[in-house]
Amino acid sequence: MMNYPAGEAADRAAARATDRAAAEPAITAHALTTVRGDRTVLRGLDFTVPAGQITGLLGPSGCGKSTLMRAVVGTQAKVGGSLQVLGRPAGDPALRSRIGYVTQAPSVYDDLTVRQNLDYFAAVLLPGRALRHDRRTAVDRAIADVDLASHADSLAGRLSGGQRSRVSLAVALLGTPELLVLDEPTVGLDPVLRRDLWNLFHQIAADRGTTLLVSSHVMDEAERCHRLLLMREGEILADDTPEALRRRNDTATVEEAFLRLVDAAATRAAHPHPRTTHEEPRS
């Protein structure tokens, strides 16, 4: 994979973020609720995702991260409240070509090679003979982005788990999306590949102005994000930058800040403030 200097990429992303300070957020949610059976998975969430930055969606497994991401890309049923994505309601057909989505399970065809998989999806995104050159350029660029040039003619079914995950990411990058939604893209990957993927994420944000929403349950990845949404049991405990979270909670790491927020939430739940009543004095 192309080894981009993370510091330089972060600086470019910060400069772009400053230029977009007055721009509309990429995602805006108000009172966002999702119900599955008799369980409320998302509990009235309010948050924004800034454009052109990497926002980390972090929290333990089962806290609602995947459900929230499905709501953003418009594939989640029984969603209440308001959810605007790139200026349109989530799920609007006009958003399909503007969003790239990578699920936890690699979405590739095992009996096709890497290039054949990308050729297939490129033909869906850019149909017609007139766009044949554009498709080839997009496929070559996506393969290079995820460092699979040496495996381009290998069957997807014979790749390692990490390599198959990179093919899924390459598919999401084909259409140069404005928003990339990545559901735990680095889970199970070795430290070197994780580092290289995060370098690529920063490069995409800095040079292409792409907004990335990246979920993880690994807290050390929080430090790689420009902004964080920390989730716990269907609720958002914090929406801030890593630096601000550390400073506000007087901790050395985001993980320590998260644990403090969890403890504080548990204390509030165990000892709710009694309602204040105003009774007329008895005579």
Side-chain angles (χ1 to χ4, degrees), residues 63-134:
C63 71
K65 300 189 300 295
S66 294
T67 300
L68 174 53
M69 290 188 145
R70 287 195 296 269
V72 168
V73 300
T75 61
Q76 178 64 47
K78 298 184 179 179
V79 177
S82 172
L83 183 58
Q84 293 287 312
V85 180
L86 301 177
R88 292 180 175 271
D92 190 303
L95 294 172
R96 291 173 185 168
S97 62
R98 302 173 65 192
I99 299 175
Y101 178 38
V102 178
T103 62
Q104 293 183 34
S107 51
V108 296
Y109 295 102
D110 287 346
D111 56 345
L112 297 180
T113 67
V114 171
R115 184 175 295 280
Q116 287 170 340
N117 266 286
L118 293 174
D119 284 341
Y120 170 77
F121 288 107
V124 174
L125 288 170
L126 302 166
R129 291 185 178 181
L131 297 178
R132 182 165 44 191
H133 176 73
D134 293 340

Side-chain angles (χ1 to χ4, degrees), residues 7-278:
E8 293 179 13
D11 290 343
R12 287 194 295 272
R16 285 179 179 270
T18 300
D19 293 340
R20 296 189 194 91
E24 290 294 321
I27 304 171
T28 303
H30 178 64
L32 181 65
T33 302
T34 300
V35 177
R36 186 180 302 144
D38 59 354
R39 178 187 171 215
T40 301
V41 182
L42 302 180
R43 305 172 180 272
L45 307 186
D46 294 289
F47 66 88
T48 60
V49 172
Q53 296 186 33
I54 301 173
T55 295
L57 179 60
L58 286 100
S61 297
C63 71
K65 300 189 300 295
S66 294
T67 300
L68 174 53
M69 290 188 145
R70 287 195 296 269
V72 168
V73 300
T75 61
Q76 178 64 47
K78 298 184 179 179
V79 177
S82 172
L83 183 58
Q84 293 287 312
V85 180
L86 301 177
R88 292 180 175 271
D92 190 303
L95 294 172
R96 291 173 185 168
S97 62
R98 302 173 65 192
I99 299 175
Y101 178 38
V102 178
T103 62
Q104 293 183 34
S107 51
V108 296
Y109 295 102
D110 287 346
D111 56 345
L112 297 180
T113 67
V114 171
R115 184 175 295 280
Q116 287 170 340
N117 266 286
L118 293 174
D119 284 341
Y120 170 77
F121 288 107
V124 174
L125 288 170
L126 302 166
R129 291 185 178 181
L131 297 178
R132 182 165 44 191
H133 176 73
D134 293 340
R135 288 196 297 271
R136 182 58 182 266
T137 299
V139 168
D140 288 343
R141 185 193 65 241
I143 289 175
D145 279 344
V146 300
D147 193 26
L148 284 176
S150 61
H151 297 280
D153 297 319
S154 300
L155 290 175
R158 295 181 180 176
L159 300 176
S160 68
Q163 289 168 336
R164 295 177 77 238
S165 295
R166 282 190 276 163
V167 179
S168 293
L169 177 58
V171 171
L173 292 172
L174 278 174
T176 58
E178 299 170 53
L179 170 65
L180 262 180
V181 179
L182 309 176
D183 195 354
E184 300 199 351
T186 62
V187 67
L189 301 185
D190 66 77
V192 173
L193 184 53
R194 283 178 60 201
R195 178 202 63 193
D196 288 348
L197 275 179
W198 277 100
N199 285 343
L200 174 60
F201 298 160
H202 277 276
Q203 182 75 13
I204 291 170
D207 290 348
R208 303 179 191 177
T210 306
T211 303
L212 288 88
L213 180 62
V214 184
S215 74
S216 177
H217 62 270
V218 182
M219 281 295 162
D220 66 355
E221 295 194 333
E223 309 289 347
R224 303 174 184 265
C225 301
H226 300 117
R227 194 166 187 88
L228 296 171
L229 298 172
L230 301 185
M231 288 191 69
R232 173 80 172 180
E233 296 182 351
E235 298 181 343
I236 290 180
L237 298 183
D239 176 1
D240 217 330
T241 65
E243 180 183 1
L245 282 169
R246 293 192 301 269
R247 183 176 62 249
R248 181 155 50 89
N249 291 279
D250 192 24
T251 61
T253 66
V254 170
E255 181 173 6
E256 291 173 328
F258 177 73
L259 292 174
R260 287 197 179 184
L261 291 168
V262 169
D263 291 343
T267 300
R268 289 193 300 271
H271 305 285
H273 293 293
R275 291 184 178 179
T276 301
T277 59
H278 300 279

